[in-house]
Amino acid sequence: LYVKNEKHFHTLFYLIIKLSGLQIGAEIHTQQGRADAVLETKEKVIIFELKLNENPKIALDQIKQKKYYQLYQDRNLPIYLVGINFNGEQ
């Protein structure tokens, strides 16, 4: 079943990471919005913003503008920001 909407790709991304055995959270609430996914390990925090048929820079800019990283700054770990675009036609 193939549904061409952003939620479909969010779900696939989340399931792939989760089934690989990593701890990932989805739709993490912050004061300015919701991060699509956050992967936390003992060594780092990776914040993901996912888009469909957009530009990955738009996703990365959203993480920065809405300051999704602030929630994790007290952990004293490196924080990586990742913008991902899914091409719904390919």
Side-chain angles (χ1 to χ4, degrees):
L1 299 172
Y2 180 65
V3 179
K4 291 184 183 182
N5 66 41
E6 196 170 299
K7 293 176 191 177
H8 173 78
F9 291 95
H10 285 212
T11 302
L12 289 175
F13 179 83
Y14 174 82
L15 285 173
I16 290 167
I17 302 298
K18 189 71 170 174
L19 291 172
S20 71
L22 297 171
Q23 293 289 30
I24 190 167
E27 297 294 323
I28 305 300
H29 291 270
T30 70
Q31 294 213 357
Q32 295 187 25
R34 292 182 304 211
D36 286 337
V38 177
L39 176 62
E40 295 184 69
T41 71
K42 293 177 184 175
E43 298 85 28
K44 62 189 159 212
V45 175
I46 307 172
I47 301 171
F48 296 94
E49 184 63 30
L50 310 171
K51 297 293 179 191
L52 176 63
N53 298 324
E54 297 256 359
N55 181 316
K57 185 178 180 327
I58 292 171
L60 192 57
D61 288 345
Q62 181 176 331
I63 296 171
K64 293 175 184 177
Q65 289 169 355
K66 296 194 176 196
K67 300 179 183 177
Y68 294 155
Y69 53 84
Q70 283 185 328
L71 188 61
Y72 303 95
Q73 286 181 318
D74 65 341
R75 299 201 174 137
N76 296 318
L77 295 172
I79 301 172
Y80 298 92
L81 311 179
V82 179
I84 297 175
N85 175 62
F86 293 100
N87 183 321
E89 299 305 315
Q90 297 177 354

